Amino acid sequence: MDTPPPNPTNWDDLTVRIASSAAMTVIGAAGVILGGVWFQMLVVFVSAVMIWELWMMIRKDEPTKGMLLAALVASVMSGQLANDTHWTLLLFLVVPIIGATQLKTEIKTFFIFALGIQIAGWGLVHFRMDFGFTWLLWLMSVVIITDIFGYFAGKSLGGPKFWPKVSPKKTWSGTIAGWVGAGIVGFIFTLFTNAGVVIILISMVLSFAGQMGDIAESALKRRMGVKDSSTLIPGHGGLFDRFDALLGAALFMLLVAVVFNVPGVAF
């Protein structure tokens, strides 16, 4: 008797996903640990690629312009980080404006996302320089654990969708599991740092901010009619797909740093 072919399951992409995640974790961890120019170069590269992916989602028929914009992002961000003065933040408007002038549709979409990507990248570099390795490790750990807990809970438990019109795969079980995982990360950091218990609540709010970054990119992809931002990373799509939550978390923490004085966060 012939053995029937295995039925596809919800876990078909797990092996590829884990392998890709491991490779990205090694590269990312090396950049974060080394800090300085190494981390800056990593952030600049990732930001430039995400701008290219953003352009290609909107105008995939003009790949050359997308590559030129990516190269310009790398140049602008490198120059800004080298000069490191506040007025050079205005340089981050260059790519959004130039890119927007080349589009006939989705002008605001490109402008907002391109600007957000660059600002978030700049924020991550300064978080590493100003707050140190442990602080950035906390932020990234919250984002990573939120994704892991959300993935496994969503696949295992299923249930009602969180926002089906925007992100059909996201469930309430996965979303809440992400908050729980982030809270656990916050608790762990209270054990070996000077952070107070408020870091647990902040971790959970940060988790939600990261999820909103993911939702924003999901909405963009649905609007553009694409499944992934690109096919660069097996099992994950593109860099934008992988780092959308980190962008949301970074932008949220930049807002917190500017507007509020949150106690217990300085490690």
Side-chain angles (χ1 to χ4, degrees), residues 126-147:
H126 277 271
F127 288 151
R128 178 63 179 88
M129 288 192 303
D130 300 339
F131 297 160
F133 167 75
T134 305
W135 196 97
L136 189 59
L137 177 64
W138 161 72
L139 186 147
M140 297 182 70
S141 296
V142 167
V143 172
I144 292 170
I145 293 300
T146 296
D147 182 60

Side-chain angles (χ1 to χ4, degrees), residues 144-159:
I144 292 170
I145 293 300
T146 296
D147 182 60
I148 292 174
F149 272 52
Y151 177 81
F152 282 100
K155 292 286 188 180
S156 301
L157 302 177

Side-chain angles (χ1 to χ4, degrees), residues 57-72:
M57 282 191 282
I58 299 173
R59 288 303 305 265
K60 54 181 173 290
D61 58 322
E62 295 184 320
T64 302
K65 289 184 179 180
M67 292 301 295
L68 290 174
L69 284 172
L72 185 57

Side-chain angles (χ1 to χ4, degrees), residues 40-87:
Q40 290 183 26
M41 287 192 298
L42 179 62
V43 171
V44 167
F45 170 76
V46 171
S47 299
V49 172
M50 285 192 288
I51 293 291
W52 170 74
E53 291 176 336
L54 171 63
W55 174 268
M56 292 301 290
M57 282 191 282
I58 299 173
R59 288 303 305 265
K60 54 181 173 290
D61 58 322
E62 295 184 320
T64 302
K65 289 184 179 180
M67 292 301 295
L68 290 174
L69 284 172
L72 185 57
V73 167
S75 176
V76 168
M77 290 192 68
S78 298
Q80 197 284 327
L81 291 169
N83 289 300
D84 201 24
T85 54
H86 289 299
W87 73 266

Side-chain angles (χ1 to χ4, degrees), residues 2-257:
D2 293 334
T3 302
N7 293 323
T9 69
N10 285 341
W11 307 97
D12 285 346
D13 64 341
L14 184 58
T15 301
V16 174
R17 190 179 179 92
I18 289 175
S20 298
S21 294
M24 287 187 293
T25 299
V26 170
I27 296 172
V32 173
I33 292 171
L34 292 172
V37 67
W38 298 104
F39 185 60
Q40 290 183 26
M41 287 192 298
L42 179 62
V43 171
V44 167
F45 170 76
V46 171
S47 299
V49 172
M50 285 192 288
I51 293 291
W52 170 74
E53 291 176 336
L54 171 63
W55 174 268
M56 292 301 290
M57 282 191 282
I58 299 173
R59 288 303 305 265
K60 54 181 173 290
D61 58 322
E62 295 184 320
T64 302
K65 289 184 179 180
M67 292 301 295
L68 290 174
L69 284 172
L72 185 57
V73 167
S75 176
V76 168
M77 290 192 68
S78 298
Q80 197 284 327
L81 291 169
N83 289 300
D84 201 24
T85 54
H86 289 299
W87 73 266
T88 56
L89 287 173
L90 294 173
L91 292 175
F92 289 156
L93 292 170
V94 172
V95 169
I97 290 174
I98 291 178
T101 61
Q102 300 301 306
L103 295 170
K104 295 180 180 179
T105 60
E106 305 298 340
I107 294 173
K108 292 181 180 178
T109 299
F110 180 85
F111 185 93
I112 292 171
F113 276 92
L115 184 60
I117 288 169
Q118 292 179 98
I119 293 175
W122 174 84
L124 288 171
V125 170
H126 277 271
F127 288 151
R128 178 63 179 88
M129 288 192 303
D130 300 339
F131 297 160
F133 167 75
T134 305
W135 196 97
L136 189 59
L137 177 64
W138 161 72
L139 186 147
M140 297 182 70
S141 296
V142 167
V143 172
I144 292 170
I145 293 300
T146 296
D147 182 60
I148 292 174
F149 272 52
Y151 177 81
F152 282 100
K155 292 286 188 180
S156 301
L157 302 177
K161 303 299 182 181
F162 177 72
W163 199 342
K165 290 184 178 180
V166 176
S167 186
K169 293 184 179 181
K170 284 195 178 299
T171 61
W172 271 106
S173 60
T175 301
I176 294 173
W179 300 344
V180 173
I184 293 172
V185 170
F187 173 74
I188 292 172
F189 271 74
T190 66
L191 301 179
F192 66 92
T193 70
N194 295 326
V197 293
V198 71
I199 198 66
I200 298 175
L201 177 59
I202 295 175
S203 297
M204 297 176 76
V205 177
L206 181 64
S207 171
F208 179 69
Q211 291 169 338
M212 289 300 98
D214 191 3
I215 289 288
E217 201 243 355
S218 294
L220 173 63
K221 289 189 294 186
R222 284 181 68 81
R223 185 180 178 93
M224 297 300 107
V226 298
K227 181 179 181 293
D228 297 311
S229 61
S230 74
T231 58
L232 290 176
I233 310 171
H236 291 275
L239 290 182
F240 203 175
D241 298 314
R242 181 65 272 174
F243 294 110
D244 50 6
L246 185 59
L247 294 176
L251 290 173
F252 170 75
M253 288 311 300
L254 276 173
L255 178 65
V256 170

